[in-house]
Amino acid sequence: MGVSIGNRILRKIVKNEAMAEDPPEIYGWRVYLLACSACFGAMSFGWDSSVIGGVIELEPFKHDFGFSGNDKAKANLGANIVSTLQAGCFLGALIASPITDRFGRKWCLIAVSLVVIIGIIMQAAASGNLAPMYVGRFVAGVGVGAASCINPVFVSENAPRSIRGLLTGLYQLFIVTGGMIAFWINYSVSLHFKGKSMYIFPLAIQGLPAGLLCVCMLLCHESPRWLARRDRWEECKSVLARIRNLSPDHPYIVAEFREIQDQLEQERRLQGDATYWDLTRDMWTVAGNRKRALISIFLMICQQMTGTNAINTYAPTIFKNLGITGTSTSLFSTGIYGIVKVTSCVIFLLFLADSLGRRRSLLWTSIAQGLAMFYIGLYVRISPPIDGQPVPPAGYVALVCIFLFAAFFQFGWGPTCWIYASEIPAARLRSLNVSYAAATQWLFNFIVARAVPTMLVTVGEHGYGTYLIFGCFCLSMFVFVWFFVPETKGISLEHMDELFGVTDGPAAEKSSVQGGDDVGSEIGKADQKSKHVEVFV
């Protein structure tokens, strides 16, 4: 009865043909528990990224780590401490693909959780010394960056097609949940802790999600699609049946298993025993693969250029710039910001990801985010807050726009980019595609984290130009999605070739070359092809 009630609720929420056609047993507790276990890696991402923005505002931390001099010097030091994590994440995302393809998704997630814990111990033990703080954040970043690549791949390879968006989107939900918890911990220590413990505790407790990732992944099975690639077919079918809560001879399991076999056989017929460099060449020389890689990379660039991580990381500073006074008050506002993000992400995953779809979610939130940023920038330019005076009504509207921006981001650009990058590649290129996407995300996250403190000091009075720049990026993203990003909701992973195209021999490759190498032309063709697969949606 429990499964039946849960399935009826799910069918009310998720509106696609796959939900209507697939057996209800596949939506059992195992697939949700598996996804949540892996997503503790995402929680480390959100927690580590968010905790430091509040910690660098705490007076004991400033005193111990030498925050002195003019505003620009202090902004540079804070940016260096914050961005070292992102630099490590960039490296971790790049090395994750070959490692996880060789050793598996499960054991790599366990290994990176231990790397994160080592880095966090170094940060908590730094005690006023910059060198261990930098090294610790870089080491933790390597683990977080690798997890950001492996986590979506693992979940998408295990998820049923009808709720793949919901389950893969849990990645973003765990990111914002980790960020929200970090925000409230920062607020709590500002009230109840004194001295060094005020910053040591939040730095140390961020190891909790990494510990949970390690323990939970020990209880999970390996990805069935990775097992298939290692020719462990019996184990693949057994794991698939267990995850789907069906017998191995059930028609659904037989059909899904056959799809995995057929796609893998086709890829091996094309590639043979390809090395990492063979796969890299295949990704960039085959038109169908190149389209998917370029879309994934540009989506991640756009995601970071919305300015979301500028607010996530430097929220206390930004709230002070908008007129909120006092460290505790700005940290409290940041905690509310975290709650808004979590709530809106839950709404998106339950009601929009697999119903409204990826493309529409990206389109409307591009405009909404841009308008919110423009209002904030114009308010700071035209009627900036004055020290010692209460926040004017227009200032409260600007604060509301910060919260609205957070909600709009979670309705589209937050979860959707990770869903899209992990579901569109061919199986042999999935980890590599997500690796490139994650590395791009971390590279631009690093750029934003490093640049924003200086921008808030130098780009116009009170940094108003910062918000206008991000607003312009948001509006331009609408154009990119409109022309180049097709819809993928409800399409199985093995049917993505029908949407994006594939080359299966010299003649096809020649045809793709004759079609030109123009990126826009190629992705545009993929968008046109989406019209022919609407029957799957």
Side-chain angles (χ1 to χ4, degrees):
M1 177 63 71
V3 173
S4 177
I5 293 174
N7 184 58
R8 286 201 297 269
I9 294 173
L10 200 60
R11 287 173 185 270
K12 292 285 187 182
I13 294 172
V14 179
K15 305 291 185 182
N16 59 48
E17 289 188 13
M19 173 60 71
E21 296 169 358
D22 295 344
E25 293 85 354
I26 68 174
Y27 308 114
W29 60 270
R30 285 193 183 94
V31 70
Y32 297 104
L33 186 60
L34 179 148
C36 289
S37 297
C39 284
F40 281 116
M43 184 173 284
S44 285
F45 173 5
W47 200 314
D48 290 17
S49 299
S50 300
V51 73
I52 196 66
V55 165
I56 62 176
E57 291 294 316
L58 299 173
E59 289 303 323
F61 186 89
K62 290 181 178 180
H63 176 269
D64 289 353
F65 285 88
F67 277 72
S68 59
N70 57 37
D71 289 344
K72 189 173 181 180
K74 290 186 284 188
N76 279 330
L77 178 57
N80 288 337
I81 293 173
V82 170
S83 61
T84 306
L85 178 84
Q86 283 82 353
C89 290
F90 177 71
L91 175 62
L94 286 178
I95 65 176
S97 176
I99 293 175
T100 190
D101 280 346
R102 176 167 184 148
F103 298 106
R105 320 310 191 202
K106 171 182 174 176
W107 291 107
C108 283
L109 282 172
I110 292 171
V112 300
S113 70
L114 299 177
V115 173
V116 173
I117 290 172
I118 291 170
I120 288 170
I121 291 173
M122 296 181 70
Q123 292 176 58
S127 190
N129 298 302
L130 281 172
M133 174 61 70
Y134 285 141
V135 174
R137 285 189 61 75
F138 185 84
V139 170
V142 172
V144 170
S148 73
C149 172
I150 303 167
N151 188 164
V153 173
F154 181 77
V155 175
S156 68
E157 289 183 341
N158 283 280
R161 59 177 181 165
S162 57
I163 58 170
R164 189 175 61 248
L166 187 154
L167 293 183
T168 309
L170 284 175
Y171 181 82
Q172 181 68 19
L173 177 61
F174 273 65
I175 290 174
V176 297
T177 301
M180 179 190 70
I181 295 172
F183 289 150
W184 284 108
I185 286 177
N186 286 341
Y187 175 64
S188 297
V189 298
S190 73
L191 297 178
H192 304 296
F193 285 63
K194 301 294 182 184
K196 292 180 182 291
S197 61
M198 188 181 288
Y199 66 82
I200 291 176
F201 179 78
L203 289 176
I205 197 65
Q206 63 181 326
L208 179 61
L212 290 172
L213 173 65
C214 182
V215 172
C216 291
M217 287 308 301
L218 287 171
L219 305 177
C220 292
H221 292 285
E222 184 54 86
S223 160
R225 285 172 170 84
W226 182 84
L227 292 170
R229 291 186 58 78
R230 309 301 288 184
D231 290 322
R232 294 159 62 176
W233 293 105
E234 288 301 320
E235 194 176 351
C236 167
K237 193 168 188 178
S238 173
V239 170
L240 191 64
R242 183 171 178 78
I243 294 171
R244 298 291 183 262
N245 200 30
L246 297 169
S247 64
D249 57 354
H250 189 281
Y252 182 89
I253 296 296
V254 172
E256 186 172 6
F257 187 69
R258 172 52 60 184
E259 282 187 346
I260 295 172
Q261 285 181 312
D262 290 345
Q263 188 188 46
L264 191 56
E265 288 173 6
Q266 180 187 11
E267 290 178 355
R268 285 178 173 174
R269 193 164 56 246
L270 293 172
Q271 297 297 319
D273 295 326
T275 65
Y276 173 79
W277 297 111
D278 292 331
L279 294 176
T280 302
R281 184 174 61 250
D282 183 35
M283 172 170 281
W284 296 110
T285 59
V286 177
N289 298 329
R290 188 165 60 244
K291 296 170 191 175
R292 306 180 215 200
L294 289 171
I295 290 175
S296 300
I297 287 171
F298 279 110
L299 282 176
M300 288 302 182
I301 293 173
C302 291
Q303 184 195 64
Q304 290 308 301
M305 298 315 293
T306 60
T308 181
N309 278 314
I311 299 177
N312 292 346
T313 307
Y314 299 108
T317 302
I318 288 173
F319 280 116
K320 285 183 178 179
N321 283 356
L322 294 180
I324 299 296
T325 58
T327 300
S328 295
T329 306
S330 66
L331 291 174
F332 178 80
S333 302
T334 304
I336 300 297
Y337 173 78
I339 292 175
V340 171
K341 290 175 64 179
V342 171
T343 304
S344 52
C345 188
V346 169
I347 293 172
F348 172 80
L349 295 179
L350 289 179
F351 301 105
L352 300 176
D354 287 304
S355 300
L356 181 62
R358 291 45 155 166
R359 176 180 163 85
R360 291 177 181 174
S361 299
L362 294 173
L363 285 171
W364 80 267
T365 54
S366 300
I367 301 297
Q369 289 174 165
L371 294 177
M373 278 292 189
F374 272 118
Y375 180 87
I376 298 168
L378 291 174
Y379 159 71
V380 174
R381 173 65 181 87
I382 297 171
S383 180
I386 301 173
D387 290 341
Q389 295 191 12
V391 179
Y396 282 111
V397 176
L399 293 172
V400 170
C401 283
I402 291 282
F403 298 131
L404 287 176
F405 174 87
F408 295 147
F409 182 79
Q410 300 307 322
F411 285 151
W413 285 90
T416 303
C417 294
W418 292 105
I419 295 171
Y420 212 88
S422 63
E423 71 183 0
I424 63 173
R428 70 187 183 281
L429 298 175
R430 184 166 295 117
S431 67
L432 187 61
N433 190 88
V434 176
S435 177
Y436 281 131
T440 302
Q441 188 265 353
W442 284 115
L443 175 61
F444 280 82
N445 194 328
F446 170 81
I447 292 170
V448 169
R450 186 63 189 82
V452 163
T454 304
M455 291 172 67
L456 290 173
V457 174
T458 60
V459 184
E461 188 177 0
H462 297 280
Y464 77 89
T466 305
Y467 308 103
L468 298 183
I469 289 170
F470 286 132
C472 290
F473 275 114
C474 288
L475 296 181
S476 66
M477 286 149 41
F478 178 92
V479 179
F480 169 70
V481 175
W482 181 268
F483 287 105
F484 301 141
V485 180
E487 184 57 77
T488 59
K489 69 170 183 177
I491 303 174
S492 71
L493 297 181
E494 284 70 33
H495 285 143
M496 289 296 173
D497 284 352
E498 299 178 37
L499 180 61
F500 291 96
V502 66
T503 57
D504 53 7
E509 181 65 20
K510 182 178 178 182
S511 174
S512 71
V513 172
Q514 289 174 345
D517 286 330
D518 180 71
V519 174
S521 172
E522 289 174 354
I523 302 177
K525 290 175 185 176
D527 198 16
Q528 292 298 318
K529 278 196 171 190
S530 68
K531 298 177 181 178
H532 301 292
V533 293
E534 286 296 319
V535 66
F536 293 100
V537 180

